[in-house]
Amino acid sequence: MLRTVFAIAVAGLIFAAVSGTAQAAPIAPLPPSYTVDLGILSDVQWRRCWRDRWGRLHCRRCWRDRWGRVRCW
């Protein structure tokens, strides 16, 4: 029990010391060459395709709803 209390106290001191000194760095603007390919991040739909036993291609549109579940149409 004493070891657990001591470990919690040490962890609390380390957390207090680190959180006071560590700060997030400001985000610098990205160069245009990096932002050219970021347009694909806004694509929220994709196609799920498969072939049946006769070789025909079947595709469905899929997306994630607001709860993160995959929905296909």
Side-chain angles (χ1 to χ4, degrees), residues 6-58:
F6 181 70
I8 290 173
V10 169
L13 288 173
I14 291 173
F15 179 75
V18 170
S19 65
T21 59
Q23 296 183 5
I27 298 174
L30 295 173
S33 61
Y34 291 149
T35 58
V36 170
D37 293 330
L38 291 180
I40 60 171
L41 295 178
S42 62
D43 187 18
V44 294
Q45 286 187 351
W46 65 91
R47 286 177 22 174
R48 182 175 283 176
C49 298
W50 69 94
R51 292 194 181 269
D52 62 8
R53 67 173 117 172
W54 298 281
R56 293 180 296 196
L57 186 67
H58 298 275

